[in-house]
Amino acid sequence: MLELRHLRTLIALRDAGSLVEAAERVHLTQSALSHQIKDLEERLGSPLFLRKTRPVEFTRAGTRLLALAEQVLPQVRMAERDLARLAGNEQGRLHMAIECHSCFQWLMPTIDHFRDHWPEVEIDIPGGHHFDPLPALAREHLDLVITADPQPLAGVHYEPLFRYEGLLAVARQHRLAGRPFVTPVDLTEETLITYPVEHARLDVFTQFLDPAGVKPREVRTAELTIMMMQLVASGRGVCALPNWALTEYLERDYVKAVSLGAEGVWSTLFAAIREETRELPWMEDFLRTARETSFAVLEGIKPA
Amino acid sequence: MLELRHLRTLIALRDAGSLVEAAERVHLTQSALSHQIKDLEERLGSPLFLRKTRPVEFTRAGTRLLALAEQVLPQVRMAERDLARLAGNEQGRLHMAIECHSCFQWLMPTIDHFRDHWPEVEIDIPGGHHFDPLPALAREHLDLVITADPQPLAGVHYEPLFRYEGLLAVARQHRLAGRPFVTPVDLTEETLITYPVEHARLDVFTQFLDPAGVKPREVRTAELTIMMMQLVASGRGVCALPNWALTEYLERDYVKAVSLGAEGVWSTLFAAIREETRELPWMEDFLRTARETSFAVLEGIKPA
DNA sequence: CCAAGAACATGAGTTATTGTCATGATGAAC
DNA sequence: GTTCATCATGACAATAACTCATGTTCTTGG
């Protein structure tokens, strides 16, 4: 019998383009999905997609089921929201701080969407504070903080949103451009441009250079991503940024990007919230929406 | 995670009014439904219906889910039909015979509905034949026969549709009216009116009188249900008919009905089809539609 | 053309879910 | 208060779903 599970899988498969990645998205193994879909296909009596193309190509039957999924799943989500609301806990406050530069790209659509569904939750990004946001979260001045480096703090829970790769942006004609990846020593002769934050919060150092005991020739800072890009493009340095922050510059062929090490440097972005707000229906919904939106908006990220 | 299974259960529950009967309809035990719904309620954080009323009363959360089910399940069924059609086997023939007098009540809506969804299947009830329909089925002159007494026949499969109770219709002022049930000997002094078919095909005899070795004082026949009702109402005899064939007369208080024996005499109505047509998608759909329609239209019947 | 990598399939075995059976509790009807 | 029907519950069983390990196929780059 057809179940929602199958529809969710198919949507993931379409968005991902391959079984392997779809499996990641629904937090199952590739094998599980293979079995699941095979079962379904047998019961329906026809294949749902062609596996030998990349991305996978859906058959007519597959397309029909996808259409069903597109129709049905939003209705189900809406009902679930209503139920959550009926279950109580409706009004609340969601004041946020964003530690991660350039997160607005996916955060704004998330907030818009959320506002429509939870009008009774006061959502805001209070500006102007320059205190440390995580203690402010614990002290209930804030309700959610987007951060890439979780610090153990009583009563604070870190909910992983997604993983992203830190890439090294270099000028188009740079000697490192075109390499499959760079090694730490490759940076000994470079000027590294970073955001003006503590050394310990920069993954290039903590995960890449420091373990190898390497220092770049020079380190300078810039406030905004666009400024960094200008410096990089004009050959005055290189900088490490999340892959998704770079995509727009890469598409315009403004700079080139290289992985840091053979495996790449991967970090996880977290939403820090207070333990007691963790199970509030609207909080769960916000996090779910945030994840959905970021996957829809950003490229090259992976489920946590 | 919410699944279609849950929605199907809730619809059954609403239609049935109690867990026990809903369980019959979805072919599970009452216990299974109790567990299933309890799980769901726990995950949602609120009860879905009140058990202490008859029929069960849905809470706001329950009503919301029912609305979802009403919205989603038809969409799913439609998709399934499309898929079945895509899977091939689209055109076919469905010529039927109805052995059971007064089945048209639920058969007509079924046919109408079916015609809309399977325009490529030629559906008909050829009139005029007076040969025995079951051999005609085997010989492929017919494709489906509605009958209440299946006979072993090579290549013919009997698909149970629903069970119904054979009731004894008596005049309003009859001495047996108002009894909880009648015993075989109660009929020794009665005139029994039957359809003009073989003795062996009448459940009153095979399941009730014959086992007790009892014969009614007189047996006479009538062609049409309405004629039987007139004879019964005027006190010129009693007759045994399916409960659902009687409802309209009972509602108008034209006659009274009594069960045959403490347990009642229950029979099953079957759709006889040829083995090889059993898995055709449109045949499966026709049978499903037939069952659905009869449950919606008839009262007092039970799943087979 | 071969080696290496990536992606999907498959079979066996495990786990988790979902159901059944037997029984108990509760409430309504007589 | 007894009886009857319905629903709940706990222990167990069946089944469905998933993972692991491995095999197959196709693509890519030397």
Side-chain angles (χ1 to χ4, degrees):
Chain A
M1 191 106 301
L2 187 67
E3 285 293 350
L4 291 178
R5 170 163 31 93
H6 300 123
L7 300 185
R8 298 192 238 261
T9 300
L10 284 180
I11 291 288
L13 180 58
R14 185 204 49 188
D15 293 349
S18 84
L19 271 194
V20 183
E21 207 189 320
E24 273 197 323
R25 297 207 183 192
V26 295
H27 300 291
L28 290 175
T29 60
Q30 170 266 326
S31 177
L33 257 53
S34 184
H35 284 301
Q36 183 184 103
I37 295 181
K38 197 177 135 208
D39 274 12
L40 189 57
E41 287 178 331
E42 271 165 16
R43 271 180 302 184
L44 296 179
S46 62
L48 294 175
F49 65 97
L50 311 174
R51 294 100 212 274
K52 325 218 146 174
T53 66
R54 205 145 326 280
V56 292
E57 188 183 325
F58 288 88
T59 62
R60 292 182 19 85
T63 311
R64 181 63 185 86
L65 266 191
L66 270 178
L68 178 69
E70 290 282 17
Q71 184 182 33
V72 157
L73 292 181
Q75 296 170 349
V76 172
R77 273 194 289 272
M78 216 176 297
E80 283 174 333
R81 253 189 284 264
D82 288 349
L83 288 171
R85 200 165 302 124
L86 283 174
N89 275 321
E90 44 275 8
Q91 68 263 22
R93 191 194 68 170
L94 183 50
H95 285 188
M96 309 189 274
I98 297 103
E99 281 211 321
C100 120
H101 295 72
S102 59
C103 273
F104 286 89
Q105 195 176 354
W106 57 267
L107 196 57
M108 282 310 159
T110 304
I111 290 180
D112 290 345
H113 187 262
F114 183 80
R115 219 178 237 127
D116 291 343
H117 289 291
W118 297 91
E120 56 278 354
V121 174
E122 183 204 340
I123 188 166
D124 194 15
I125 309 183
H129 311 316
H130 286 290
F131 46 76
D132 200 8
L134 285 173
L137 175 69
R139 258 182 263 115
E140 310 205 5
H141 296 159
L142 291 173
D143 309 297
L144 187 149
V145 177
I146 306 287
T147 180
D149 59 343
Q151 316 174 3
L153 210 55
V156 172
H157 167 77
Y158 293 92
E159 185 74 22
L161 293 174
F162 55 81
R163 289 179 306 129
Y164 60 89
E165 186 180 1
L167 293 178
L168 190 74
V170 300
R172 290 199 291 161
Q173 67 287 2
H174 195 281
R175 66 180 173 103
L176 296 175
R179 288 268 199 93
F181 59 90
V182 299
T183 59
V185 284
D186 286 327
L187 299 192
T188 45
E189 291 306 305
E190 300 291 332
T191 297
L192 182 65
I193 307 161
T194 71
Y195 288 116
V197 299
E198 313 132 51
H199 181 101
R201 284 189 43 210
L202 293 166
D203 295 326
V204 225
F205 292 117
T206 57
Q207 289 196 50
F208 189 64
L209 296 174
D210 295 353
V214 169
K215 282 193 199 312
R217 196 182 54 187
E218 190 190 348
V219 176
R220 55 174 298 188
T221 62
E223 288 276 345
L224 299 170
T225 313
I226 178 73
M227 291 169 57
M228 293 182 169
M229 289 298 102
Q230 281 166 354
L231 292 169
V232 168
S234 60
R236 276 179 283 169
V238 298
C239 79
L241 281 177
N243 50 3
W244 47 268
L246 281 175
T247 36
E248 63 168 313
Y249 301 100
L250 295 173
E251 272 165 10
R252 285 197 259 119
D253 204 30
Y254 194 64
V255 297
K256 295 282 182 192
V258 215
S259 285
L260 296 162
E263 308 300 319
V265 167
W266 286 83
S267 317
T268 304
L269 196 68
F270 295 88
I273 58 181
R274 258 168 283 117
E275 284 287 2
E276 72 265 23
T277 62
R278 194 174 162 185
E279 309 226 303
L280 296 181
W282 53 262
M283 183 63 91
E284 288 181 340
D285 191 47
F286 180 85
L287 295 174
R288 205 160 45 77
T289 313
R291 275 188 269 256
E292 267 174 28
T293 312
S294 34
F295 275 98
V297 168
L298 307 179
E299 276 167 38
I301 63 176
K302 291 192 174 285
Chain B
M1 192 106 303
L2 186 67
E3 286 293 350
L4 290 178
R5 168 166 30 95
H6 300 122
L7 299 185
R8 300 191 237 260
T9 299
L10 284 179
I11 291 288
L13 180 58
R14 184 203 50 187
D15 292 350
S18 83
L19 272 193
V20 183
E21 208 190 319
E24 274 197 323
R25 297 207 182 192
V26 295
H27 300 290
L28 289 175
T29 60
Q30 170 268 324
S31 178
L33 288 201
S34 183
H35 284 303
Q36 184 186 100
I37 295 182
K38 198 176 135 207
D39 274 13
L40 187 58
E41 288 179 329
E42 271 164 18
R43 272 182 300 186
L44 297 177
S46 62
L48 294 174
F49 65 98
L50 312 173
R51 293 102 211 273
K52 327 218 146 175
T53 66
R54 205 145 325 278
V56 293
E57 190 182 323
F58 288 87
T59 62
R60 291 183 16 85
T63 312
R64 181 64 185 83
L65 267 191
L66 271 179
L68 177 69
E70 290 282 16
Q71 184 181 31
V72 158
L73 293 182
Q75 296 170 349
V76 171
R77 273 193 290 270
M78 216 175 295
E80 283 173 335
R81 254 188 285 263
D82 289 348
L83 289 171
R85 199 164 303 123
L86 283 174
N89 276 321
E90 45 274 9
Q91 68 262 21
R93 191 194 66 170
L94 184 49
H95 285 189
M96 308 190 273
I98 296 103
E99 279 212 322
C100 120
H101 294 71
S102 59
C103 272
F104 287 89
Q105 195 176 354
W106 57 268
L107 197 56
M108 282 311 159
T110 303
I111 291 181
D112 290 345
H113 187 262
F114 183 81
R115 221 179 234 127
D116 292 343
H117 289 291
W118 297 93
E120 56 277 353
V121 174
E122 183 204 339
I123 189 166
D124 194 15
I125 309 184
H129 310 315
H130 286 289
F131 47 76
D132 201 8
L134 285 173
L137 175 68
R139 258 182 262 117
E140 310 204 7
H141 297 160
L142 291 173
D143 309 297
L144 187 149
V145 177
I146 306 286
T147 179
D149 60 343
Q151 316 173 4
L153 211 55
V156 172
H157 168 77
Y158 293 92
E159 185 73 22
L161 293 174
F162 56 79
R163 289 180 304 129
Y164 60 89
E165 187 180 2
L167 293 178
L168 190 74
V170 300
R172 290 199 292 161
Q173 68 286 1
H174 194 282
R175 64 180 176 103
L176 296 174
R179 288 266 200 98
F181 60 88
V182 298
T183 58
V185 284
D186 285 329
L187 300 191
T188 43
E189 292 307 305
E190 299 293 332
T191 297
L192 183 64
I193 307 161
T194 72
Y195 287 117
V197 298
E198 313 132 52
H199 181 102
R201 285 188 45 208
L202 294 165
D203 294 327
V204 226
F205 291 116
T206 57
Q207 290 196 49
F208 189 63
L209 297 174
D210 295 353
V214 169
K215 284 193 198 309
R217 197 182 54 188
E218 188 189 351
V219 176
R220 55 175 296 191
T221 62
E223 289 275 347
L224 299 171
T225 314
I226 177 72
M227 288 170 58
M228 293 183 169
M229 288 299 100
Q230 280 165 357
L231 292 169
V232 168
S234 60
R236 277 179 282 167
V238 299
C239 79
L241 282 176
N243 50 5
W244 47 269
L246 281 175
T247 37
E248 63 169 312
Y249 301 99
L250 293 173
E251 272 165 10
R252 285 198 258 117
D253 204 29
Y254 193 64
V255 296
K256 295 282 183 193
V258 217
S259 285
L260 295 162
E263 307 299 319
V265 167
W266 286 83
S267 316
T268 303
L269 196 67
F270 295 87
I273 58 181
R274 257 168 284 117
E275 283 288 0
E276 73 266 21
T277 62
R278 193 172 162 186
E279 308 225 306
L280 295 181
W282 52 264
M283 183 63 92
E284 288 182 340
D285 192 46
F286 180 84
L287 295 174
R288 205 161 45 77
T289 313
R291 276 188 268 256
E292 266 174 29
T293 312
S294 34
F295 275 98
V297 169
L298 307 179
E299 276 167 37
I301 63 177
K302 292 194 173 284

